[in-house]
Amino acid sequence: MGATRTGTESRRPESRAPDEPRRTGPLIVTEDLGLLDDLLRLCAAAGVEPEVHHRVPERRTGWTDPPLVLVGDDAAARCRGAARRPGTVLVGRDRDDPEVWRLAVEIGAECVLRLPDAEGLLVDRIADAAEGAGRSALTIGVVGGRGGAGASTLACALALGAARTGRRTLLVDGDPLGGGLDVLLGGEREEGRRWPDFAASKGRLAGGALEESLPSVRGVRVLSWGREPAAPVPPTAVRSVLGAARRRGGVVVVDLPRGTDDAAAEALAQLDLALLVVPGELRAVAAAHRVALTLGTVVRDVRAVVRGPYAAGLDERWVADALGLPLAGELPYDPGIVADQDAGVPPGAEPRGPLGRFCAAFWERALAPGGAA
């Protein structure tokens, strides 16, 4: 087996892609070489590196510390008497062996999984355990009520504000015609993957590998578009990428187009909250009304962010009421924002500026226990 001896036989897979980080994986207990090869393949698909033993490790922590224990049905009898622990799964191939269920009870297994039928389920289980599947990321979409409403500006500022709270933060550019959020943040020269690199993604992506592959700008991981024209990213890729991002926890901010093609609809379906940015003018309110109706068919929680200056007789409450939406806040007018961007200062980078203060107040409400903004 090419194993090294450490009291019991153990083996770690040797091959991995140089650009794909590995996370701590499960403990595998088996002597069945065919089953072992299958389990190593599934661990690789989940982006994790397991520890392999033929029997219960001699050190107690070798059994209790891994996030998941996969016991081959050939090794179950040798695991009798081991400390009961959550996250123990009995894995095998024989469908007709009634003895396996008794063994599962004896070793405290949570379930019995049969290959190859349960391969997809087992990959998900391995990846969830390695990533410490807990609370999903708070995922907020920002949409302009009309062109030029300032949705991208607010999305960038919110991401920077979330990062300042110490949360893991991912900013996703959902608008392929928007010019690139990495440019708006000043990170267009940063190394990392862009949307075209994920166009062929299907199924599950490893959240940690996704995060590490993206450019980091001012504490924010950014998934943007490249500078070259690219084919549209299919909904399956959007589902895979946002699903992986959400499993990492923290905050995900998505800048979305006003149109709803299939890819945008998939992104909307992942949102916890949509913010509709509306300038305080009648034509903008009329345009935003149509966008709000579309958002409301997909997103359960849609709120208005109203931006001044206002036309005569209008204020933020009037605009929100006209749209039939709760008011998430009034986005302060900041005449210096264009000059800041020309100087390479991203929107919201100054925490004491009007936009920075708005975002700090928003996150204070949204990230409070039980809060959603």
Side-chain angles (χ1 to χ4, degrees):
M1 289 177 58
T4 58
R5 185 171 294 277
T6 58
T8 61
E9 296 290 342
S10 67
R11 185 173 81 172
R12 292 181 183 271
E14 298 295 334
S15 61
R16 64 182 176 188
D19 60 343
E20 183 175 344
R22 293 294 191 190
R23 294 158 291 135
T24 300
L27 168 67
I28 297 174
V29 183
T30 185
E31 284 187 311
D32 183 331
L33 295 184
L35 179 61
L36 177 58
D37 285 342
D38 284 340
L39 293 178
L40 292 179
R41 173 174 54 81
L42 297 179
C43 286
V48 302
E49 184 172 291
E51 183 80 27
V52 179
H53 287 257
H54 293 165
R55 55 191 63 83
V56 175
E58 293 178 355
R59 289 183 300 105
R60 180 183 174 87
T61 55
W63 173 263
T64 59
D65 285 0
L68 184 69
V69 174
L70 305 177
V71 178
D73 54 6
D74 67 293
R78 296 193 297 277
C79 294
R80 290 191 183 105
R84 296 296 180 104
R85 49 149 295 159
T88 301
V89 177
L90 188 60
V91 186
R93 292 194 186 87
D94 188 353
R95 299 173 179 277
D96 302 321
D97 182 5
E99 178 73 5
V100 73
W101 298 101
R102 183 180 63 80
L103 290 171
V105 172
E106 289 183 356
I107 67 173
E110 293 179 351
C111 61
V112 177
L113 296 180
R114 295 302 189 185
L115 303 182
D117 293 353
E119 283 193 357
L121 178 62
L122 188 51
V123 169
D124 286 351
R125 185 71 183 266
I126 292 168
D128 282 344
E131 291 177 357
R135 185 177 180 181
S136 295
L138 176 61
T139 306
I140 293 179
V142 186
V143 186
R146 66 152 169 82
S152 296
T153 295
L154 178 58
C156 286
L158 284 172
L160 291 173
R164 283 194 290 268
T165 71
R167 264 73 174 187
R168 173 185 285 111
T169 305
L170 174 61
L171 176 61
V172 179
D173 190 347
D175 187 356
L177 302 180
L181 292 187
D182 54 349
V183 176
L184 193 55
L185 280 176
E188 65 271 22
R189 297 184 183 277
E190 296 293 329
E191 294 289 334
R193 295 181 176 180
R194 266 68 176 178
W195 265 120
D197 298 311
F198 297 99
S201 298
K202 294 181 181 180
R204 186 187 181 102
L205 289 177
L210 169 69
E211 181 180 0
E212 293 298 324
S213 74
L214 299 177
S216 178
V217 184
R218 295 175 178 256
V220 176
R221 294 285 180 174
V222 185
L223 177 55
S224 190
W225 296 87
R227 305 283 76 82
E228 300 298 325
V233 172
T236 52
V238 175
R239 185 182 308 123
S240 293
V241 168
L242 288 183
R246 297 194 72 199
R247 287 193 301 274
R248 293 291 286 170
V251 169
V252 177
V253 180
V254 188
D255 180 29
L256 289 162
R258 293 168 61 226
T260 51
D261 59 12
D262 290 343
E266 182 59 48
L268 289 173
Q270 301 268 1
L271 301 182
D272 298 306
L273 169 66
L275 299 178
L276 181 61
V277 184
V278 189
E281 56 191 46
L282 287 174
R283 287 189 64 196
V285 173
H289 182 70
R290 293 191 292 272
V291 179
L293 290 175
T294 301
L295 292 174
T297 64
V298 184
V299 185
R300 182 168 50 187
D301 192 352
V302 182
R303 306 186 191 187
V305 174
V306 185
R307 177 174 67 81
Y310 297 98
L314 273 61
D315 62 16
E316 69 276 15
R317 292 288 177 188
W318 188 96
V319 171
D321 290 345
L323 294 171
L325 297 177
L327 179 65
E330 179 187 18
L331 196 61
Y333 176 63
D334 185 357
I337 197 167
V338 175
D340 286 345
Q341 291 179 24
D342 289 342
V345 179
E350 174 48 63
R352 291 183 295 275
L355 191 53
R357 293 197 304 272
F358 172 88
C359 292
F362 174 85
W363 288 123
E364 184 176 359
R365 298 191 304 272
L367 298 174

